[in-house]
Structure formats: C-alpha cells, structure tokens
Amino acid sequence: MSHCYHHALSSVRRWGGIPEDYLPLHQWFDESKRIIADPRHRALRHHAEGIFMLETLFGVTITNSAGRVVPVRQIGEQHVTEDLGRIPSFADWARVIQPAPWILRGNPAGAPAPDTTH
C-alpha cells in the first residue's frame, strides 16, 4: 500500500471504527519517509522488532471508536504484511544491505572479530 490512510481503511475493514483510530500507528511506520522517500525507508521499522516497538510506544491494545479493543501488534503485522507480503526480521533487512567501504572501516573484511570471552 502506498499511503497510511489506505492502511487505516484496511484496519477499519478488519476491526471496525474509523480511519483516525488507526492513522497514528500506520503513520509511525512510515515516518521514516522523512529520511528517505523511497521503499528503503522500510528497513527502519518494517520488521518484527518494529512491530514490537509499535506496541511499546502505543500500548498493548487500542480501543477504537466502535469500542472494540484491538491488539496493537496485530495492527503492526497488518501494516508490514500489506507492504512486504510477510514480516521480515531486522536480520533479513541487514542481509540485503550492501556495506560500503566506510561502513567496514572499523572491521575490515577478513579481520578476526575481537575475543570478548575474557
């Protein structure tokens, strides 16, 4: 889906209420468009950890205007699944991000990881 309002309409079809009940949650997922206005913005919040962050910020449930109690995590799962077709982990995103040389500067390829067991 391309706009938070459409995600909110989808939430209304699932759980009732009005779009305004759900807009703040869907907008939270897409606030990263302020940083990068293409689908790469999704790497910041469109994953399992992002769904749990949504719950931390908005609470375990919301009560919509129809009086129905809706789990916030389900709303997050709906948003991410509508955009990506599944719920990836952050590790899924990290695997497809190609590190530039400046990212690797502190840990050159092939260098052994520091021993932190002592």
Side-chain angles (χ1 to χ4, degrees), residues 5-71:
Y5 185 73
H6 296 112
H7 284 291
L9 290 175
S10 180
S11 295
V12 168
R13 285 190 295 276
R14 288 181 189 214
W15 297 292
I18 59 175
E20 291 73 17
D21 296 331
Y22 306 99
L23 270 173
L25 289 81
H26 293 298
Q27 288 171 329
W28 179 83
F29 274 106
D30 288 343
E31 283 177 354
S32 52
K33 287 179 183 177
R34 293 178 184 181
I35 301 166
I36 185 165
D38 67 37
R40 293 177 292 174
H41 84 89
R42 294 174 175 159
L44 292 174
R45 296 183 177 173
H46 285 60
H47 46 70
E49 174 69 14
I51 292 167
F52 277 84
M53 286 190 299
L54 182 78
E55 186 180 64
T56 298
L57 292 169
F58 288 89
V60 174
T61 63
I62 63 163
T63 302
N64 68 23
S65 59
R68 185 168 179 187
V69 177
V70 183

Side-chain angles (χ1 to χ4, degrees), residues 74-107:
Q74 287 184 352
I75 298 166
E77 290 170 353
Q78 170 221 329
H79 185 109
V80 173
T81 302
E82 286 175 349
D83 278 351
L84 302 176
R86 68 186 190 96
I87 299 170
S89 67
F90 178 75
D92 293 328
W93 281 103
R95 277 191 286 277
V96 298
I97 295 171
Q98 297 298 315
W102 62 268
I103 294 172
L104 299 172
R105 184 169 179 194
N107 187 22

